[in-house]
Amino acid sequence: FAERYPGPQFGIEGTRRLSGVASGPLIGTIIKPSVGLSPEATAEMVDALCRGGIDFIKDDEKLMSPGYSPIEARIAAIMPVIHDHEQKTGKKVMYAFGISAADPDTMMRNHDLVVAAGGNGAVININSIGVGGMSFLRKRSALCLHAHRNGWDILTRHPGLGMQFRAYQKIWRLLGVDQFQINGIRAKYWEPDESFVRSFHDVAEPIFSEADRPLPVVCSGQWGGQAVETYQRTGRTLDLMYLGGGGIHGHPMGASAGVTAIRQAWEAAESDIDLDTYAQSHPELAASLAKWG
């Protein structure tokens, strides 16, 4: 299988290079245009997040190209914001557009639209496009591919269909995903913490070489309160993406403060300082703890 398929094109090192984050966890978020946001409203949120220091933003995985937010219009609204921020700061925030489609030709058309606009990321619904679709895309892709495993709960929980993540993730890594969502500590979905920890270590373990390791993406109900335990239980590594949705957008001081609060939580984790102590001199983290702690 490894001889036939190319593996990750970017992986951990490539993701860091493209996003300009040389060290530490990449802090990311999800925007939910699938709830009805127009491309213009989405771009306004992207602007606020870029000003707040975000590293990575992705479309909600359920979003394809609906009438109220077709992918062409979304790219046209968002990429100028990304480029403007890059011109001002030197940092190009990675935005992963949802390019998945049942028709591989449509998926590649979506891919080409992102590339033509200067984008560098895409979120892929791997269970929806399947092994063949992923192989087709990876052989032609110029984008960093962020794997969303929607439908995984059915595949692993059902007694007649079950597959452990340890086996499942090897297939997708060798096919070529660069970033892999794996839930997180105290996730909002069903998966127990012990299962997440095993998944993290599975993804971090080379199959044949360091080059086939994707960036682990910690997600699902993350707001910073889980940062210390995540750091301690995943081998005290900073090679990960920490993806917060409501934990950023729902911050009482605004989304920019939500990004800052998560960074502060990771600073506390790396320094072996408990969050309550660190929050005494970091108001954004203190506000997070007051709301969600």
Side-chain angles (χ1 to χ4, degrees):
F1 202 91
E3 290 175 356
R4 184 176 181 88
Y5 297 102
Q9 183 175 12
F10 297 100
I12 296 172
E13 291 185 5
T15 297
R16 288 196 178 280
R17 183 178 68 255
L18 291 173
S19 58
V21 181
S23 61
L26 284 84
I27 306 302
T29 192
I30 314 100
I31 293 181
K32 300 285 186 180
S34 59
V35 301
L37 286 178
S38 68
E40 294 73 25
T42 304
E44 290 177 8
M45 297 181 72
V46 171
D47 184 56
L49 291 162
C50 287
R51 287 186 279 108
I54 200 76
D55 301 318
F56 173 93
I57 309 169
K58 66 176 282 289
D59 278 343
D60 180 48
E61 72 281 355
K62 292 182 289 295
L63 186 75
M64 299 296 112
S65 191
Y68 63 83
S69 185
I71 189 168
E72 297 93 335
R74 209 158 64 246
I75 293 169
I78 290 169
M79 285 310 301
V81 176
I82 298 292
H83 290 314
D84 182 62
H85 179 72
E86 182 185 13
Q87 288 295 316
K88 292 175 180 177
T89 67
K91 174 182 175 179
K92 185 175 183 177
V93 173
M94 180 180 288
Y95 194 103
F97 290 92
I99 67 170
S100 300
D103 181 351
D105 290 333
T106 300
M107 183 164 58
M108 285 310 305
R109 171 183 169 274
N110 295 341
H111 165 279
D112 293 346
L113 290 170
V114 176
V115 173
N120 56 16
V123 56
I124 307 299
N125 298 336
I126 56 177
N127 291 325
S128 299
I129 69 168
V131 168
M134 184 66 205
S135 176
F136 181 89
L137 173 63
R138 171 63 181 86
K139 290 176 182 176
R140 297 159 176 81
S141 177
L143 300 175
C144 192
L145 302 178
H146 180 105
H148 192 289
R149 59 182 188 176
N150 53 342
W152 164 246
D153 295 5
I154 299 172
L155 296 177
T156 193
R157 294 177 77 188
H158 194 288
L161 301 174
M163 182 191 301
Q164 286 195 0
F165 184 72
R166 180 170 176 80
Y168 167 90
Q169 54 94 25
K170 291 180 180 180
I171 296 169
W172 296 103
R173 288 168 60 181
L174 295 176
L175 281 167
V177 303
D178 297 298
Q179 304 165 0
F180 213 139
Q181 286 198 12
I182 51 173
N183 281 342
I185 296 290
R186 299 192 294 281
K188 65 184 179 183
Y189 297 121
W190 69 276
E191 190 169 15
D193 292 351
E194 293 73 18
S195 176
F196 156 73
V197 172
R198 287 196 302 271
S199 295
F200 190 100
H201 288 296
D202 288 342
V203 169
E205 177 185 332
I207 303 174
F208 296 107
S209 73
E210 292 288 326
D212 63 35
R213 294 194 307 145
L215 183 72
V217 180
V218 181
C219 55
S220 177
Q222 305 300 298
W223 59 273
Q226 306 99 316
V228 172
E229 188 174 355
T230 300
Y231 181 63
Q232 293 173 346
R233 297 186 67 180
T234 56
R236 303 175 72 85
T237 181
L238 298 175
D239 276 337
L240 56 87
M241 181 185 292
Y242 197 78
L243 204 59
I248 286 177
H249 297 286
H251 194 283
M253 297 165 64
S256 292
V259 176
T260 300
I262 288 182
R263 289 202 187 282
Q264 292 169 348
W266 275 92
E267 290 167 5
E270 191 177 2
S271 302
D272 289 321
I273 302 173
D274 69 86
L275 295 181
D276 288 326
T277 300
Y278 205 70
Q280 292 175 11
S281 57
H282 295 83
E284 294 86 359
L285 179 58
S288 285
L289 290 172
K291 181 166 185 175
W292 293 302

